[in-house]
Amino acid sequence: MFVKTVSKSLFLLISLVIITCIIYPGILWIIGQGFFPFQANGSMLYNSENKPIGSKLIAQPFTKDEFFQPRPSAASYDASASASSALAPSNYALRARIASSIGAVAKYQNGQSITSDIEKWFKENLYQGKSNIVSQWATLHNSLATAWINADPSHSAYVDQWTKTHPEMVKQFIRDNPSITQPKAVDLAVVFFQNFSKENPGKFPSSINQTVNGKTESTIQPTINDSDIQSLFFDMWRQDNPDMLLQTIPSDFVTTSASGLDPHISLENANYQLDRVASKWATHLKRNPKDVRNEIEEMIKANASAPLGGLAGEKFVNVLELNIELEKRFGPPL
């Protein structure tokens, strides 16, 4: 009886292993490779040199202005770390991130960029009628000041150097915060910016490339015009200039998707980026900007689609597919 029971159990086990681990996966593999090879192999896309550069289903970052940009990603476009930012609308970190994205691209309704006006306002060193903009920024939003320190090793090195020339301020910080006996650069972020604002009114510490002995080195210096100023202080400028009429920016240009990996952008977003992309390609190709713009606009229309074959929802564009088409038609950017 025991032998009979064991033999039946083994037969059942072996049968299930063969069915579930060999036959079933084998059937799915045959169906996938025979009828859906593109989807079964990860929906991979290839560049002009026929090299795989990414999946149609996963967003990836593009840094060159010749290409369209995907939605921001809270997961840094890492498919193994898919996640949203999970920040509530009341969280200033969300407002600051969106504001920093808008600051570098925002325009007035007449199409004029606002960047020069932000820099002019910043140089006056007044916010809400009070002086020392940078000091107010760091005091009101110490998490942003800390984030600037952590953003690049050269930033923390710059603050470390500042501590050597301002020992009394470091000692005062320790007296005010007895639990921190050996403060690091991030601990001193607010104190550093408060002092920097007084010593360098209307300026911000930014990276400057310099050539020393034939080598290009990046150093931090006080500047009056930089992308950091346009991005970090756009929100404060907007609060000081609430009546200025700006162009509407597509929401998906500045907001992340739930997964952080959405490969699509809205048709409105693609058209919003069109002028930048077309201008860069026209300069690169030395062609008429209007002709290049018309070509890329047609490419956008050809790549745009809506869910269920156009029966539902708004039209969207797959960023990777569109950028591949750009490279295939115009060649690699400089």
Side-chain angles (χ1 to χ4, degrees), residues 296-307:
I296 298 177
E297 188 174 18
E298 289 302 317
M299 294 171 63
I300 293 175
K301 292 178 181 178
N303 280 274
S305 61

Side-chain angles (χ1 to χ4, degrees), residues 154-170:
S154 63
H155 294 181
S156 58
Y158 185 75
V159 177
D160 288 338
Q161 184 62 36
W162 171 85
T163 61
K164 297 177 182 179
T165 57
H166 298 77
E168 289 302 320
M169 298 199 70
V170 176

Side-chain angles (χ1 to χ4, degrees), residues 7 12 35 44 50 70 95 105 119 122 132 165 202 206 215 231-232 234 246 278 297:
S7 62
L12 181 61
F35 298 96
M44 297 301 294
N50 204 33
R95 180 184 179 94
V105 299
E119 292 173 354
F122 183 83
N132 294 325
T165 57
S206 299
K215 295 182 180 180
S231 299
L232 295 175
F234 168 76
L246 305 180
E297 188 174 18

Side-chain angles (χ1 to χ4, degrees), residues 65 96-106 113-116 118-119 121-122 137 148 155 203-209 221-235:
D65 286 336
R97 183 185 62 73
I98 293 177
S100 66
S101 299
I102 295 175
V105 299
S113 173
I114 69 168
T115 54
S116 59
I118 292 179
E119 292 173 354
W121 163 85
F122 183 83
W137 169 77
W148 183 89
H155 294 181
K203 296 182 179 181
F204 191 79
S206 299
S207 298
I208 303 294
N209 291 327
Q221 294 184 13
T223 60
I224 58 175
N225 48 11
D226 185 78
S227 58
D228 279 347
I229 294 175
Q230 301 158 16
S231 299
L232 295 175
F233 295 92
F234 168 76
D235 186 44

Side-chain angles (χ1 to χ4, degrees), residues 107-175:
K107 297 178 181 178
Y108 293 112
Q109 290 192 342
N110 63 4
Q112 178 184 347
S113 173
I114 69 168
T115 54
S116 59
D117 285 347
I118 292 179
E119 292 173 354
K120 181 180 178 181
W121 163 85
F122 183 83
K123 198 182 302 182
E124 292 175 353
N125 200 31
L126 290 175
Y127 168 65
Q128 302 288 296
K130 299 179 181 179
S131 61
N132 294 325
I133 289 178
V134 174
S135 176
Q136 293 187 67
W137 169 77
T139 303
L140 291 171
H141 315 297
N142 55 53
S143 62
L144 301 185
T146 301
W148 183 89
I149 302 291
N150 289 325
D152 192 281
S154 63
H155 294 181
S156 58
Y158 185 75
V159 177
D160 288 338
Q161 184 62 36
W162 171 85
T163 61
K164 297 177 182 179
T165 57
H166 298 77
E168 289 302 320
M169 298 199 70
V170 176
K171 291 179 181 178
Q172 183 59 50
F173 174 86
I174 295 174
R175 286 193 290 268

Side-chain angles (χ1 to χ4, degrees), residues 7-26:
S7 62
K8 286 184 177 180
S9 298
L10 288 175
F11 175 77
L12 181 61
L13 174 63
I14 294 172
S15 299
L16 288 175
V17 168
I18 293 174
I19 293 172
T20 59
C21 298
I22 299 176
I23 296 177
Y24 178 69

